[in-house]
């Protein structure tokens, strides 16, 4: 169910161009059904609250023992349901917002691509999968912000967003590598927190995670990309910059909260 909830929007994105050829902007109605599996994750709330979160795994590269592992704890479920709810509202709203001359297939395809990346980000347990979905949100947001490619302001906003969030993505990649080496696992739930805390890379690692979170959430002094990103179509601004993408930094800090606890950053961040 977890794997299905994450990848349903990706599958729907593939069909978006075909549906929009027949239905135009109204294709948003059937495409909104891609979020139904994410809503079904509410069934896992009782298990998460009882301390037994559901898990799911999709083998990625068997020879390297790499897999896409997902974990539905209470915090992840909260944000997954938030992404699903906002995804449905924005997709349905777009059916009335988009004009006849718009590229409907591109719009819905990118919107669903971003939604799937956000669901993967909040539910990911594998560190490298978390990084991959993190970067995919940056790429999708770049394309969505610059959706109106005949507007110079939109292109400027897209480039600014990509440059800032990509810098944060590089920081996250280094942090993920250090974490997997120091913690003895590539899965977040299996990390040896004590070993990570005792590692010489502990302080730089926290700094890298904090940098990544601040860039994605447009916090001072990395906030300059956010105002120009509002040149995107209204549904995109509502989905990316008011409801979901800017929450990614909060999700990241919450996922790594055990590392930040009892440090000099803990009072200000957690």
């Amino acid at each position: 169910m977890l794997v299905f909830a994450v990848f349903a929007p990706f599958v729907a994105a593939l069909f978006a161009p075909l549906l929009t050829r027949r239905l135009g902007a109204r294709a948003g109605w059937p495409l909104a059904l891609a979020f139904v599996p994410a809503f079904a994750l509410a069934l896992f709330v009782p298990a998460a609250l009882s301390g037994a979160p559901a898990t799911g795994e999709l083998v990625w590269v068997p020879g390297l023992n790499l897999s896409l592992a997902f974990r539905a704890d209470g915090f992840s479920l909260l944000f997954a349901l938030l992404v699903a709810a906002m995804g449905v509202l924005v997709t349905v709203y777009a059916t009335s917002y988009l004009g006849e001359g718009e590229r409907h297939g591109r719009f819905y395809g990118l919107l669903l691509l971003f939604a799937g990346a956000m669901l993967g980000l909040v539910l990911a347990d594998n560190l490298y999968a978390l990084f991959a979905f993190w970067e995919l949100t940056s790429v999708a947001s770049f394309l969505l912000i610059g959706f109106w490619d005949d507007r110079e302001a939109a292109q400027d906003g897209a480039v600014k967003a990509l440059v800032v969030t990509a810098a944060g993505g590089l920081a996250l990649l280094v942090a993920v590598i250090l974490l997997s080496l120091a913690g003895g696992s590539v899965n977040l739930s299996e990390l040896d927190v004590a070993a990570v805390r005792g590692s010489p890379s502990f302080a730089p690692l926290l700094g890298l995670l904090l940098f990544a979170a601040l860039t994605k959430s447009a916090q001072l002094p990395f906030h300059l990309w956010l105002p120009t990103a509002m040149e995107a179509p209204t549904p995109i601004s509502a989905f990316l910059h008011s409801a979901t993408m800017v929450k990614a930094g909060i999700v990241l800090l919450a996922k790594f909260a055990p590392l930040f606890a009892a440090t000099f950053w803990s009072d200000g961040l957690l």
Side-chain angles (χ1 to χ4, degrees):
M1 178 66 77
L2 288 173
V3 175
F4 187 38
V6 171
F7 284 96
F10 290 112
V11 175
L14 296 176
F15 288 95
L18 178 61
L19 286 174
T20 54
R21 288 196 194 107
R22 295 178 175 274
L23 301 175
R26 292 176 298 165
W29 289 100
L31 290 172
L33 296 176
F35 296 99
V36 170
F39 280 115
L41 297 180
L43 298 173
F44 296 136
V45 170
L49 294 178
S50 66
T55 59
E57 186 177 33
L58 178 65
V59 177
W60 185 10
V61 185
L64 298 177
N65 198 27
L66 293 179
S67 62
L68 298 177
F70 301 99
R71 180 181 173 89
D73 54 38
F75 188 84
S76 297
L77 286 175
L78 171 64
F79 275 87
L81 293 173
L82 172 64
V83 171
M86 291 305 303
V88 168
L89 292 174
V90 168
T91 304
V92 171
Y93 173 65
T95 61
S96 299
Y97 178 86
L98 295 175
E100 290 296 327
E102 300 286 5
R103 293 166 295 176
H104 303 114
R106 176 183 173 87
F107 180 89
Y108 286 121
L110 291 174
L111 181 68
L112 290 165
L113 176 67
F114 175 82
M118 277 301 304
L119 287 170
L121 172 62
V122 301
L123 293 169
D125 189 41
N126 181 280
L127 292 172
Y128 293 100
L130 185 149
F131 166 74
F133 286 119
W134 178 278
E135 286 297 272
L136 191 53
T137 62
S138 295
V139 173
S141 66
F142 165 74
L143 295 172
L144 285 166
I145 294 169
F147 178 74
W148 285 323
D149 51 21
D150 58 339
R151 297 187 181 183
E152 185 177 349
Q155 298 307 300
D156 179 62
V159 171
K160 284 183 180 178
L162 182 64
V163 169
V164 175
T165 56
L170 290 175
L172 180 60
L173 175 59
V174 177
V176 161
I177 294 172
L178 294 176
L179 266 174
S180 61
L181 293 175
S185 176
V186 295
N187 288 338
L188 182 59
S189 59
E190 299 172 0
L191 285 176
D192 186 339
V193 176
V196 174
R197 285 178 172 273
S199 170
S201 61
F202 179 57
L205 191 155
L206 292 186
L208 290 167
L209 289 174
L210 180 59
F211 177 77
L214 293 179
T215 56
K216 186 73 82 171
S217 293
Q219 298 299 306
L220 189 74
F222 308 107
H223 63 292
L224 297 178
W225 65 266
L226 187 57
T228 53
M230 293 301 175
E231 288 292 333
T234 299
I236 301 306
S237 295
F239 195 29
L240 273 66
H241 310 125
S242 298
T244 55
M245 180 172 164
V246 292
K247 304 294 192 299
I250 299 173
V251 171
L252 188 71
L253 293 179
K255 281 181 174 288
F256 295 104
L259 298 178
F260 284 98
T263 65
F264 70 96
W265 282 324
S266 60
D267 292 336
L269 295 177
L270 302 178

